[in-house]
Amino acid sequence: MKLEIARAFFLLGALAVTTVAVAAWEEPRPTVFSKGELLSQCASPRVAKHDEASSAKPDQDLLLFLFGMRQGLRPFG
């Protein structure tokens, strides 16, 4: 097979892949939501109560866990 023919097939294949990728790329368009649309979709509480008992508390072992995970990533030797 001549080099020119191989280049032509490669170019056609690259254009076909690019065309399929562009056709499959679906990007949502920016839209503006009104307050009425949002209220009909999900009901949110009118007053959010902050309860001290249910507040999230950080885990004290998290730093130790992260340190152990980092030590495991070191190469041997």
Side-chain angles (χ1 to χ4, degrees):
M1 183 182 284
K2 285 188 159 188
L3 186 60
E4 292 85 15
I5 296 173
R7 284 182 183 169
F9 281 138
F10 178 76
L11 180 64
L12 288 175
L15 288 175
V17 168
T18 304
T19 304
V20 169
V22 167
W25 186 2
E26 184 179 332
E27 193 170 318
R29 296 185 177 167
T31 58
V32 177
F33 295 107
S34 69
K35 192 172 184 180
E37 291 174 358
L38 293 176
L39 290 177
S40 66
Q41 288 181 1
C42 69
S44 60
R46 296 285 179 196
V47 177
K49 296 180 181 178
H50 181 69
D51 191 12
E52 290 294 325
S54 66
S55 65
K57 295 180 182 173
D59 188 9
Q60 299 299 326
D61 295 331
L62 180 62
L63 186 60
L64 183 61
F65 172 72
L66 291 175
F67 179 73
M69 292 296 288
R70 175 66 183 104
Q71 294 296 97
L73 294 176
R74 286 190 177 173
F76 293 112

